[in-house]
Amino acid sequence: MSRRTARTGALLLAGLLLALYGITGVAAAQENDDLKVDFRETTPGKGKIGITVAMSGDAWDPSLQPTQDDFSAAINGSPVDITGAAPVGEQQGGASTQLAVVLAVDTSGSMVGEQIVQARAAADEFARLMKPGARLGLVAFSDTPRVVQPLTSDHEQVRAAVSTLVAEGDTALNDAIVLSSGLLAREEGQRNLVVLSDGADDGSRVELPAAIKAAKNAKVFVDTVSLNSPGGVQDPEALRKLSKGTGGQAFEVSNADALVAQFSSISRALASQYVVEMTLPPGLAKRVDLKLEVQANNAVGSYHNTSFVLPLRASPATIPVVPGELPSAPGLSRLESPQGRY
């Protein structure tokens, strides 16, 4: 074989391998982007567990209604039985997973003009897209936070309250977190707080650590949306700390026009949660390799955690306690769970 022939063959082989690698990489990325499955929380039971996940992505449509046959799961590589799958609040005995959400909207003076107009549009779209039966509330904060609309299942009432928001005053962000957490603490089920702010806290009576503590004590997930306004004084790091400290997510948008899209995305994710119930095999350790898959709209999405912490109350007889080691707090506290949140 000549050197030219060998070199040509090597180049062809390299090109073929590169093409195959490129195709594989794109396919994997498309699968992940098309249907995303994000962990929310666990519900323990004797010999079983409920995993709440949120679906999103290009292939997901909130009108889809996957059944338990569309879900599959494996623990430590071995398949486990799926015994039920239903939207949050719709499964049998699902009162503990009803959905409650408070919108906390910055109405300080820096939001005047187009920004408050878009904030109203974003909050209105959030309420319009929320699933029927979910309880929604509205808090506005400037010099002080105030309850504009107590939690209700009447979403049109929330939308009417949103239309009254006006911008003036300072930014009592931390106080708004405490007030909103107090409202949610009285609610059954999963508690969520979605915060919009374009500036740093100014005028609150409490500091950020106290606000985070109030949300954690009330078992509230906090999602934050930071609106980065030109010339304004922002503190996106504080919002990130707030979300991270409560198991939520932090988002940033660069202009008021992007607010509607971001709030729509959050609303759809909250409304697209499913509780997937599965049996637990005996002899499991506290940490397991958990993989959960769902098929929907000709796409496959998965959640995979190689160090998933099982709640101790899920199956007390199967989870050994190491002598001399204090058992970790049960998985009833999603805020203490290392698997995080969507």
Side-chain angles (χ1 to χ4, degrees), residues 247-260:
Q249 270 195 318
F251 304 93
E252 294 184 35
V253 294
S254 58
N255 57 71
D257 291 337
L259 276 179
V260 175

Side-chain angles (χ1 to χ4, degrees), residues 45-66:
K46 188 175 182 180
K48 63 180 181 179
I49 191 173
I51 306 290
T52 302
V53 291
M55 263 76 76
S56 62
D58 294 338
W60 178 253
D61 186 321
S63 65
L64 295 174
Q65 295 183 336

Side-chain angles (χ1 to χ4, degrees), residues 6 13 15 40 51 72 79 110 118 168 170 193 221 237 249 273 282 290 296 307 315 336:
L13 177 61
R40 295 302 308 279
I51 306 290
S72 61
S110 59
Q118 292 291 57
E168 59 180 352
D170 292 327
L193 173 58
F221 289 129
E237 181 59 28
Q249 270 195 318
Q273 296 181 82
L290 172 69
S307 187
S315 183
E336 297 173 0

